[in-house]
Each structure stands twice: as C-alpha cells, then as structure tokens.
Amino acid sequence: MKKVCKFVLYYVLALLFFTFLGVFINFLYDSSLRIVAGVPFSFNKFALLKGCFLGLEVGIIFSPLFLCNYRIKTGSRTVPLFISYIFLGIFSWFLLFPAVILCENKISSNLLQKKTELTANFFRESESRYVYFVTDEKDNKAKIVSVEKDSPSEKNAAFGVFELTEEFINDSEPFSDPLIKKSYDDFPHKIKDTFSRILYLSRDALNKSFLHWIVFASFGILLWSIYGFTIFSPWKLINYFMVFFLTAVILFLNYFYYNERFVFLHNLISDSFLGISGIELMHGILNAALSFILIVFGFIIYGIRRRKL
C-alpha cells in the first residue's frame, strides 16, 4: 500500500511540475508574441491561466513516461502498482483531461485578449513593401508611408491611411509585430505549435461527441501501453531508453497522421477506409492495434523475465 501511495504521489507531483512549467513557458511565449516595439511590457493574466491548462494537459500526456521511469528506478513489480497504473490512465484520459478542457473553455470564453496595436515612428516590412508608421494603429488602421520593395523610389512611395491587410498580418505571424519576428528564432514556436496541434485535436474531439473523444483517447491508451517495457532488460539504462524511445515514436506517429504536409494521405485513408460521419475511426483503430501489440509484448517480456528469476 505504501508503494502505491508513493506511486500516486509521484503522478501528482509530475502533473504539478508540468503545470508550473507550462505557466512559466507559456508566459514567456505569449509575452514574445504580444511584444510591440515602443509599447511597455504589460502583465497578462490570460497567459498564466492558459499556461496552467496547457501545462496540465501536456503533463497528462507525459505522465506515463514519468510513472514508467519511477517504476524502473524503484524496481517494484507488485500487482497493486500495475493496477494503480491502469486506474491512473483511465482517470487521466476519461476524467481529468476532459475536465481540464471543459474548464479551460469556460474560463477562456470569459477572458477576451485585447489586441496589441502597432506603434508610430517605426519602419516595418511585409513581403512586398516597406512601411513607416506615421501614427499609431487604431481600429486596424494607421497613417503610413509605404515603398514597394521591387522598385524603392519616390515614384512608388505612397502616403495615406493604411488598413492592415491580411498579407501584412500573415507576414508577422505568430507575432504581433514584424519587427519582433525578425529578432526571434522560429524553432521554439514550431515546438509549441506541435503540441498546440495535438491539444487542438483533443478540444475538437471533446466538443463533438463522446465517440470522437474515445477515438482521440486511443492516443492516450497507446502512451500508457509502454508499461511492460520497464522490465525489458536487466539493465535499467536500456529500460529508460525503451520507454523514452517508444513515447517519442508514439508522439511522432500521431502528429504525423494529422500533419498538414501529409494531409492528402490522411484524407485518402479517412475517405477510403472507415471515414464515417467525420469520425477518425482509422486513427483509433491504428492506435488500438499498436496498443494491443505493446501490451502483448509487455506480457511476453514479463513472462520471460519472471521465468529467469
């Protein structure tokens, strides 16, 4: 019983760790997106709340990895520990995760973020022209002087009230100011976008129906199916490698399935094989099949290791 309590406590601590980490990282991330040249830094409560939810959701995704590492570290092989692992997985994906999403949707709907408007006396550029802001942006408009990049001359200069076009906004995304985008590396934001994509799919599934959520939750079941590989080898280092490797492969495969670069393949699979009523049954079937394979391998490994002992 003592080992089970420590196991559950480790799970709670892992979620708390990711929650605080999410608050910190999302606050820095959101702040970088909202920075506008000439505007003083302002504290954003929405970023803290959003970071709390995001961190908790990511913590749920990575919690089996932490629990498996705890299992490898302690070397405990008790049945109650295995049963508690199963119950924590069910609790995480069918109670906690949906509750976090519903709570986030409710709170986010009551918190409207005010757009940070661009300031005067700065040069900014879009894909096709250079723009000097004479006045501050107001209601998506500002007085500007613009020059075409292809032929920068007085003849091609224009002065007047400029409405921020979709082209200009897209050139600065995901930042609020094109000047700030030029100062940052996109790599951290690509990592954030990867997890944002997965979390977006979770919200979309829960908002549609319970069946949609079950199909998406097959991703979580697959992540929790790596438990048997905690005793893959007598050497703990190899066991650590196996659970990290399997977690990375599972994340990659699920992200790959929905990646926009392979949307044609995704649509082909969905439309031609069990793409019924907009439910990604193929996604659920693939995850369920892989989960079954990992669970069977886990029991085989357990049987072999027990016989050797």
Side-chain angles (χ1 to χ4, degrees), residues 273-291:
F273 186 69
L274 298 176
I276 302 172
S277 302
I279 299 175
E280 297 289 350
L281 291 180
M282 187 60 187
H283 179 226
I285 290 172
L286 288 173
N287 281 331
L290 291 173
S291 299

Side-chain angles (χ1 to χ4, degrees), residues 206 234 303:
L206 186 64

Side-chain angles (χ1 to χ4, degrees), residues 96-278:
L96 184 58
F97 208 149
V100 171
I101 294 174
L102 292 174
C103 187
E104 181 183 9
N105 291 340
K106 186 175 181 180
I107 293 178
S108 298
S109 63
N110 296 325
L111 290 173
L112 297 177
Q113 290 199 89
K114 185 179 179 181
K115 181 180 178 296
T116 307
E117 297 180 327
L118 301 178
T119 51
N121 304 320
F122 285 97
F123 276 99
R124 296 177 174 91
E125 63 177 291
S126 65
E127 187 175 346
S128 60
R129 55 181 169 172
Y130 299 103
V131 178
Y132 178 78
F133 279 67
V134 180
T135 63
D136 293 341
E137 175 195 353
K138 187 176 181 180
D139 298 328
N140 213 39
K141 296 180 180 179
K143 286 186 178 180
I144 58 98
V145 176
S146 67
V147 179
E148 297 293 330
K149 282 186 177 181
D150 294 336
S151 53
S153 63
E154 293 183 4
K155 294 181 180 180
N156 293 318
F159 173 79
V161 177
F162 170 66
E163 184 172 355
L164 299 187
T165 61
E166 187 174 341
E167 174 202 355
F168 193 84
I169 295 172
N170 290 340
D171 286 340
S172 62
E173 286 186 345
F175 298 89
S176 298
D177 192 334
L179 284 176
I180 306 302
K181 183 176 182 178
K182 292 178 65 177
S183 305
Y184 275 83
D185 186 359
D186 285 342
F187 181 70
H189 301 280
K190 289 179 180 179
I191 297 176
K192 171 69 164 51
D193 289 343
T194 299
F195 284 102
S196 295
R197 174 66 175 164
I198 295 174
L199 297 177
Y200 165 78
L201 293 171
S202 69
R203 298 184 189 97
D204 184 60
L206 186 64
N207 291 333
K208 285 182 178 178
S209 70
F210 182 66
L211 182 57
H212 282 84
W213 177 257
I214 290 177
V215 172
F216 176 79
S218 63
F219 164 55
I221 296 171
L222 181 55
L223 284 169
W224 284 77
S225 301
I226 64 175
Y227 187 81
F229 290 83
T230 58
I231 54 172
F232 181 79
S233 168
W235 295 325
K236 289 185 178 182
L237 186 61
I238 294 178
N239 295 334
Y240 282 124
F241 170 78
M242 286 301 299
V243 296
F244 272 101
F245 174 75
L246 288 172
T247 300
V249 169
I250 291 168
L251 289 172
F252 173 78
L253 289 177
N254 278 269
Y255 177 71
F256 171 84
Y257 184 82
Y258 287 105
N259 195 302
E260 293 179 357
R261 295 180 183 179
F262 306 100
V263 67
F264 69 95
L265 182 62
H266 168 250
N267 290 337
L268 177 64
I269 294 173
S270 298
D271 294 339
S272 62
F273 186 69
L274 298 176
I276 302 172
S277 302

Side-chain angles (χ1 to χ4, degrees), residues 290-307:
L290 291 173
S291 299
F292 177 77
I293 293 171
L294 290 181
I295 291 170
V296 169
F297 265 102
F299 277 109
I300 293 173
I301 293 169
Y302 176 75
I304 294 173
R305 298 282 289 130
R306 189 174 183 182
R307 183 175 298 178

